């Protein structure tokens, strides 16, 4: 592995000092991410998704994903 020269190290230090890396990313965490995905459904839609999930032994997210993919495929 090549080593940096003193001059290269100082140049890198200046670059990082002027342009610090974004280590934080977007604010929030696990629950914030989940909240962003939350969608409120009417009773009929929620009931349909729950019963389809039980009947097909899948999760509601899988059922919704299939419905979305079908809709996209139909529009192409």
């Amino acid at each position: 592995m090549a080593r940096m020269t003193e001059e290269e190290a100082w140049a890198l230090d200046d670059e990082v000092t002027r342009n610090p890396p974004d280590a934080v990313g977007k604010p929030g965490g696990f629950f914030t991410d989940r909240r962003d995905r939350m969608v409120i459904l009417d009773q009929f839609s929620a009931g349909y998704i729950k019963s389809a999930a039980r009947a097909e032994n899948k999760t509601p997210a899988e059922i919704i994903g299939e419905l979305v993919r079908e809709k996209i495929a139909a529009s192409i």
Side-chain angles (χ1 to χ4, degrees):
M1 178 186 221
R3 292 205 164 257
M4 274 193 244
T5 63
E6 190 75 21
E7 185 177 284
E8 291 171 330
W10 281 111
L12 179 61
D13 179 63
D14 289 341
E15 178 68 24
V16 172
T17 300
R18 278 186 267 115
N19 305 307
D22 184 19
V24 176
K26 67 180 186 175
F30 178 80
F31 294 109
T32 303
D33 184 46
R34 296 289 183 228
R35 185 190 70 219
D36 291 344
R37 291 191 221 170
M38 186 175 71
V39 177
I40 306 301
L41 301 174
D42 58 74
Q43 285 299 113
F44 180 78
S45 300
Y48 173 81
I49 291 169
K50 286 180 186 178
S51 64
R54 275 189 238 115
E56 297 181 31
N57 202 20
K58 296 181 178 179
T59 65
E62 290 173 320
I63 299 296
I64 293 169
E66 289 174 359
L67 292 170
V68 169
R69 286 181 193 84
E70 287 174 10
K71 182 76 172 177
I72 292 170
S75 69
I76 293 177

